[in-house]
Amino acid sequence: MIRLAVRCAPEAAELVLAELTVLAPNGVEEERGPGYVEYAIYGGEGELPELGEIEAVVGGRPIEVTSTEIPDDWADRWRDFHKPLLVGGRLWLRPSWEPPREGAVDLVVDPGRAFGTGAHPTTRLCLELLLEIAAAGDAGGELVDLGTGSGVLAIAAAKLGWAPVRGYDHEALAIEAASSNATANGVELTLQRMNLRENLPKLSPTVVANLTAPVLAAVANQLGASGGRGRVQRSLPAVAPVDPPPAPTVLICSGLLPTELDSTAAAFAPAGLSEADRRRDGDWAALLLRRT
């Protein structure tokens, strides 16, 4: 396992982060110190370059890039600092070795090599919005999770009252991780591998999409091109044309930098979705869109 770290001045952090999220849309490790910000991503041998230590320039500012080999038991070492997290005062996100919290919705996700545990700000923002929708009495009916990753959002939705819940991701390892996590949490998910840049599944009234801005733009383009009606991926041969399903009534988007909020909201406008709320957590942000 290789750890690729980029250290930069705080002024260059947003540019560096935007570049790294393309390589690791499911999460970037972040560390801040006096006068610097360091971001790190992980990958197997051959997936990330073993660069050693080099200096480079991003946006005219110098950065330090280091790649180091991580011991095979690195995931086990997360126990030393992977702690439970209370989200929205109601959802207890914890590893399996930590006890449940009385009165909270319990969601168990262990750290693994491929996908995150739900502690990343983009996931937390989505969870907070789901919790608020549920608290308003609007949980229920079908929900679709685009870019499901480890399945945290889909599992949380199922526990909050949405059903059935479907999750989609282009990574085979994500589907495996989400399936394993769903089993560990005693919830039922329908999971499918799909390239969301090219096709959308049948959408539900509530959709959550924790993706990068370019992928969200591709999703918006598919919805907008069909006049606010989603496109269905079908197996060939098609017997007869099928009317596409309507765009969602509620769409939660995250995986965004604050500077990407306006353009993302505008991209979904042709599909009849308008901004209802926006949230920010450090260098990350989320949108709540509703059908008008």
Side-chain angles (χ1 to χ4, degrees), residues 104-129:
V105 178
D106 194 43
L107 203 163
V108 180
V109 180
D110 282 335
R113 296 190 177 204
F115 299 96
T117 62
H120 192 271
T122 60
T123 310
R124 292 202 307 268
L125 289 167
C126 290
L127 289 171
E128 288 171 2
L129 288 167

Side-chain angles (χ1 to χ4, degrees), residues 69-83 97 111-112:
E69 187 172 349
I70 304 299
D72 290 338
D73 64 347
W74 77 276
D76 295 332
R77 298 185 183 187
W78 277 33
R79 287 179 178 246
D80 295 336
F81 62 88
H82 186 63
K83 303 299 182 183
W97 58 85

Side-chain angles (χ1 to χ4, degrees), residues 154-192:
I155 294 166
K159 292 197 170 214
L160 290 172
W162 277 275
V165 177
R166 293 182 279 121
Y168 298 87
D169 203 288
H170 74 290
E171 294 284 354
L173 284 176
I175 299 301
E176 293 177 13
S179 178
S180 176
N181 288 330
T183 299
N185 283 275
V187 302
E188 184 175 343
L189 304 179
T190 298
L191 300 165
Q192 184 179 340

Side-chain angles (χ1 to χ4, degrees), residues 229-230 232 234 240-246:
R229 301 181 69 82
V232 185
R234 305 183 186 89
V242 179
D243 288 337

